[in-house]
Amino acid sequence: MPSCGPAFFSPSAASVADPFWSDVVLLLDGAGADGSTTFLDLSPAGNIVTAVDGAQVDNAIVPPFGGNSIVFDGVDDLLRVTSSASLAFGTGPFTIELWLRKIGASANFFTFAGQNWNVYYAHTTQKMAFWDGATDRITRSGSAYPLVPDWYHLALVRDAAGNVYLWDHGVQVGSTWVDAGPTNLTASDILIGHYPASPLFGTMNAVPIRITRQARYTVPFTPPPGPFPSF
């Protein structure tokens, strides 16, 4: 499992324009005072983000490229992105991605969920998976995440043909799943740090968090080297 360190930092990374900027529908950068529970969506969509229970800005835990992070305690913390037309992916492509840091040896994490789907890591089975509401469609077991301070980039991608990919720090998890149809994903809340059908919550730091209505990653890649640009 590759680790993320200062070598991934590029001072100019955030100054390079995002070619998919007009298709970004969520961008959270964790800016704010330590302990703040206010999160602004910097994307053109301007979606509403609500911190539930204790999800908050953490100034002490810094991602490898600087700035703040968002901390989830694994008990009841989550971020809720309120359903909107911009989050109705329909049958089209999308990418949901974030950088995260596991907290504690026995930590689980539930990175993002919505409309009966979820991406999660279960510590007890060392299993990472994408669950589509019926079964685990993409899985990898027996690969434990190291303890802090390592940071990892995770991304869930569906392309225009319905191919679904799960990426762990630029390396594909399991095999590509073909979402025949593809499934029409109507507007729904997006949850970060929790899956509503489960009593479990993620124990992690995460930032930045981005959703794009394009398929950014369909082949192995080097994780973005700095903060996601906001233009």
Side-chain angles (χ1 to χ4, degrees), residues 6 18 33 43 48 95 121 132 206 211:
D18 182 352
S43 80
I48 297 172
T95 300
Y121 171 78
D132 76 334
I211 301 178

Side-chain angles (χ1 to χ4, degrees), residues 25-202:
V25 294
L26 182 73
L27 178 61
L28 302 179
D29 66 355
D34 191 47
S36 173
T37 57
T38 299
F39 297 95
L40 297 179
D41 175 16
L42 303 178
S43 80
N47 278 300
I48 297 172
V49 181
T50 303
V52 179
D53 292 308
Q56 60 188 270
V57 173
D58 187 347
N59 290 169
I61 304 301
V62 178
F65 36 76
N68 303 327
S69 65
I70 304 168
V71 64
F72 301 81
D73 66 3
V75 177
D76 53 11
D77 293 358
L78 65 101
L79 293 182
R80 182 185 302 276
V81 186
T82 302
S83 174
S84 72
S86 68
L87 299 175
F89 304 135
T91 60
F94 64 84
T95 300
I96 306 176
E97 62 187 310
L98 50 68
W99 283 84
L100 68 84
R101 166 189 179 270
K102 175 181 173 182
I103 302 176
S106 60
N108 300 302
F109 53 73
F110 292 77
T111 53
F112 26 73
Q115 198 177 351
N116 299 322
W117 54 264
N118 179 37
V119 173
Y120 70 91
Y121 171 78
H123 166 75
T124 53
T125 57
Q126 297 182 355
K127 179 180 182 180
M128 174 173 285
F130 162 65
W131 187 71
D132 76 334
T135 189
D136 289 333
R137 298 294 185 181
I138 300 174
T139 64
R140 182 191 65 202
S141 298
S143 182
Y145 268 71
L147 295 177
V148 297
D150 291 319
W151 284 80
Y152 300 93
H153 176 268
L154 289 183
L156 176 68
V157 178
R158 184 175 74 182
D159 67 18
N163 298 306
V164 179
Y165 311 83
L166 182 57
W167 301 100
D168 177 14
H169 218 70
V171 177
Q172 188 170 10
V173 175
S175 301
T176 304
W177 174 58
V178 180
D179 181 11
T183 302
N184 182 19
L185 296 175
T186 57
S188 68
D189 290 356
I190 302 292
L191 304 182
I192 302 165
H194 174 57
Y195 178 60
S198 166
L200 299 177
F201 291 77

